[in-house]
Amino acid sequence: MARDDAAVAVADEQSALKKKTAVSGSWMLLDCTGKGTILDVDKYAIMHRAQIHARDLRILDPLLSYPSTILGRERAIVLNLEHIKAIITAEEVLLRDPMDENVIPIVEELRNHLPPANVHQVHEDGRENLSGQHEEAAEEDVALEAICSFLGAQTTELETAAYPALDELTAKISSRNLDRVRKLKSAMTRLTARVQKVRDELEQLLDDDDDMADLCLSRKLAGASSRISCSGAPSWFPGSPTIGSKISRASRTSAATIHGNENDVEEMEMLLEAYFIQIDGTLHRLITLHEYIDDTEDYINIQLENHRNQLIQLELFLSSGTVCLSICALVCGIFGMNLPYSWKHNHGYLFKWVIIISGLVCAILFILIFAYARRKGLVGS
């Protein structure tokens, strides 16, 4: 009985663990009119709603450190740009962690950019003009604008703190200034890596027309509906004028769809290129700051080398003086010893001349050593 209870407890614990891992966290659903709804669902519901794979949803997990990514899927766009983690479809936007202080302004911008209604207009040639055709472009516009502005603001803040700190370090080298610059350089390195990843992602999209076409969700849905309508026409009445007119209209619709795809790709390319230029400018500012830090480090190293050389010169000067004084002290010590020399009697004045001559010889030796060191460039002029 106790064994059965333990097995039930283990099963309940495993079930709770599965539920805990399945919960994806809070999401905000923004429909085509800008109406927001808070969702607290598991990842399977999000995968089913957006029709994406688990590997696509994994990059939106805030507990995992995935770099900035823009993925175009059949019916959705997966955005992972710093704190902006969203899934964009042709009809709605799923935004991760909407209560985050950095995400709240994004929600307001999305509501301002989305139209109040999704109106469908059908023209005489059978093409369907969706008012939400460019909604995903507007949503991407908001996300890219937000992330570019966010990274640009962080770069400006870093520049404001870094340049005065570097100038202060140049003026006075101290432990406090060195530690301050070290922290700023670490922050700059991390920020540069984040900006570089966003830039590389945009550049990769700009280099591939198929990737940009994958971001045009509404056009893909319109093309899919056109293909369905074309495939629904019977092909066993080639002589019927009614069927022929339908086929002709379908051909014109297909051609218009292809032309529309080209236009959408061009519009998407212009949109991405604008933000690519902006993020590239931010990266260039960080590179300029990095070069300024490197120049400051080189200048400080030169100063330290100069101080080290001055210490070496001082050490050489003191060592030469010590050697000369040691020689003089040795001579004076020898002649000052209390030994019975015959020349000491009635020749006491000789000790004075020994000291004088020894001092002069040591001084001349010191001057010769210093002149030799200066000639070899060991001391400064």
Side-chain angles (χ1 to χ4, degrees), residues 42-313:
D42 57 30
K43 63 180 182 181
Y44 302 106
I46 298 295
M47 291 164 51
H48 178 72
R49 187 182 189 96
Q51 298 185 9
I52 59 176
H53 298 287
R55 60 178 178 269
D56 300 328
L57 189 61
R58 191 182 304 121
I59 67 174
L60 302 181
D61 193 342
L63 300 179
L64 302 178
S65 299
Y66 278 93
S68 297
T69 309
I70 301 176
L71 298 178
R73 293 297 182 251
E74 183 64 27
R75 296 182 179 273
I77 300 173
V78 181
L79 287 178
N80 179 28
L81 298 174
E82 296 289 327
H83 54 274
I84 303 175
K85 302 178 185 297
I87 301 173
I88 301 174
T89 67
E91 297 86 10
E92 60 192 16
V93 180
L94 290 167
L95 200 60
R96 185 68 184 265
D97 296 332
M99 297 296 105
D100 187 88
E101 59 180 3
N102 294 322
V103 181
I104 292 177
I106 310 301
V107 176
E108 298 300 327
E109 286 294 327
L110 283 173
R111 286 174 174 171
N112 294 333
H113 279 72
L114 289 175
N118 191 14
V119 182
H120 295 72
Q121 297 178 353
V122 180
H123 297 280
E124 294 179 357
D125 57 356
R127 292 177 298 171
E128 189 179 48
N129 184 19
L130 302 176
S131 65
Q133 178 177 345
H134 301 290
E135 286 178 10
E136 65 274 5
E139 293 150 0
E140 292 171 19
D141 186 16
V142 172
L144 291 173
E145 180 182 0
I147 197 62
C148 290
S149 301
F150 177 75
L151 294 176
Q154 285 197 333
T155 302
T156 302
E157 181 180 356
L158 183 62
E159 288 176 334
T160 304
Y163 284 113
L166 292 171
D167 294 337
E168 185 177 353
L169 178 62
T170 303
K172 180 182 179 182
I173 301 176
S174 63
S175 301
R176 174 179 173 274
N177 292 336
L178 286 172
D179 185 67
R180 182 183 177 188
V181 171
R182 180 187 62 82
K183 293 179 180 179
L184 290 172
K185 186 177 181 180
S186 299
M188 184 209 63
T189 303
R190 293 191 297 268
L191 182 59
T192 302
R194 291 158 54 193
V195 173
Q196 181 70 51
K197 181 56 185 175
V198 176
R199 180 191 178 278
D200 292 343
E201 191 67 26
L202 293 178
E203 185 178 16
Q204 183 179 358
L205 290 173
L206 288 170
D207 291 339
D208 195 336
D209 290 344
D210 294 335
D211 289 342
M212 287 188 288
D214 289 339
L215 302 181
C216 304
L217 300 178
S218 298
R219 179 60 64 182
K220 286 195 297 184
L221 293 179
S225 62
S226 300
R227 288 193 298 271
I228 293 174
S229 62
C230 292
S231 61
S235 59
W236 52 83
F237 296 112
S240 173
T242 305
I243 300 301
S245 63
K246 289 183 179 181
I247 294 175
S248 177
R249 182 180 302 172
S251 300
R252 293 195 302 270
T253 302
S254 177
T257 302
I258 295 174
H259 181 68
N261 286 337
E262 295 178 353
N263 292 336
D264 287 346
V265 169
E266 291 179 357
E267 293 178 2
M268 185 62 66
E269 183 176 5
M270 293 176 62
L271 174 66
L272 295 177
E273 186 175 1
Y275 290 108
F276 175 79
I277 294 174
Q278 183 176 351
I279 200 69
D280 186 69
T282 301
L283 181 62
H284 180 71
R285 290 164 56 192
L286 289 171
I287 293 175
T288 303
L289 178 59
H290 188 274
E291 293 175 351
Y292 192 82
I293 292 177
D294 290 341
D295 294 340
T296 304
E297 290 179 349
D298 293 339
Y299 177 76
I300 291 173
N301 290 331
I302 292 173
Q303 280 189 330
L304 294 177
E305 288 290 340
N306 185 34
H307 293 161
R308 192 178 297 112
N309 292 335
Q310 291 177 356
L311 291 175
I312 293 174
Q313 293 175 13

